[in-house]
DNA sequence: GCCAACGTTGGC
DNA sequence: GCCAACGTTGGC
């Protein structure tokens, strides 16, 4: 079992959108970074849990929890010329970009990035590393447990 | 294989 | 809107 943090722009897919989706699950489309792709394709397993993080908004932070619920498969948007995620260099024989489906688990209290930064226990968290831009990052079991305790407060 | 230029991410 | 940091591209 591994733990993850997955960023989504709430304008595109928010935690509420995930909860309202058919089957309460969505394909995690649009990842165009090899490291993040490798985490999804090779690092994840069905049943892994992830924090659902809102980024690119006024106050970024953790908004809920989701669960990996499919094996990896090619991201369709890479083949759609009218999609912002279209990749002309990918082809169906050998797709570049892979994704998994994630399913809604719960909505949490909103835990802002600024609060995450205040906890010394999270000093080594990948998300908080200087200049980090990865949209999918792993968490240690300790980090996962610590954040869950903070979420249970208030 | 190096590295400069460029485009993108994402917090502020 | 700004800009620091990063990943990718492509010329050499």
């Amino acid at each position: 079992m591994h733990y993850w943090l997955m960023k989504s722009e709430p304008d595109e897919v928010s935690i509420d959108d995930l909860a309202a989706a058919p089957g309460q699950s969505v394909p995690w489309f649009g990842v165009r970074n090899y490291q993040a792709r490798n985490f999804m394709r090779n690092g994840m397993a069905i049943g892994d849990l992830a924090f659902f993080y809102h980024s690119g908004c006024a106050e970024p932070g953790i908004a809920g929890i989701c669960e990996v619920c499919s094996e990896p498969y090619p991201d369709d948007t890479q083949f759609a010329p009218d999609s912002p995620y279209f990749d002309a260099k990918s082809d169906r024989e050998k797709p570049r970009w892979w994704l998994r489906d994630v399913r809604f688990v719960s909505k949490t209290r909103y835990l802002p990035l600024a609060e995450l930064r205040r906890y010394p226990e999270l000093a080594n968290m990948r998300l908080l590393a200087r200049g980090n831009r990865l949209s999918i990052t792993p968490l240690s079991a300790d980090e996962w447990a610590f954040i869950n305790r903070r979420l249970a407060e208030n």
Side-chain angles (χ1 to χ4, degrees):
Chain A
M1 162 78 86
H2 288 102
Y3 301 101
W4 309 92
L5 183 141
M6 302 174 74
K7 296 181 186 173
S8 182
E9 300 193 6
D11 284 353
E12 191 153 35
V13 183
S14 70
I15 188 73
D16 291 328
D17 294 333
L18 179 62
Q24 295 194 307
S25 78
V26 297
W28 204 263
F29 63 90
V31 168
R32 296 293 179 270
N33 169 285
Y34 289 104
Q35 215 177 335
R37 179 206 65 183
N38 292 344
F39 283 144
M40 257 198 298
R41 191 180 58 180
N42 313 327
M44 289 180 173
I46 290 177
D48 278 3
L49 294 169
F51 290 123
F52 191 107
Y53 178 94
H54 286 179
S55 73
C57 52
E59 190 179 34
I62 291 172
I65 294 174
C66 59
E67 153 188 38
V68 175
C69 68
S70 82
E71 295 296 342
Y73 63 96
D75 180 345
D76 273 341
T77 63
Q78 71 195 298
F79 306 123
D82 54 340
S83 166
Y85 301 112
F86 178 64
D87 183 349
K89 292 178 180 169
S90 186
D91 69 276
R92 289 184 183 275
E93 299 305 307
K94 206 164 179 279
R96 265 192 188 182
W97 306 112
W98 295 70
L99 53 67
R100 291 182 187 245
D101 294 342
V102 303
R103 183 185 299 126
F104 177 81
V105 171
S106 61
K107 201 169 165 175
T108 63
R109 83 167 167 92
Y110 200 70
L111 201 172
L113 174 61
E115 181 183 338
L116 290 172
R117 288 197 192 284
R118 287 204 293 272
Y119 297 121
E121 292 87 345
L122 302 179
N124 295 324
M125 212 180 148
R126 190 80 172 265
L127 172 79
L128 305 181
R130 186 164 167 272
N132 168 68
R133 280 174 23 190
L134 267 183
S135 62
I136 298 177
T137 50
L139 279 82
S140 72
D142 284 348
E143 289 163 347
W144 176 265
F146 178 83
I147 293 172
N148 270 290
R149 286 195 294 275
R150 300 293 80 75
L151 288 170
E153 298 165 351
N154 306 341

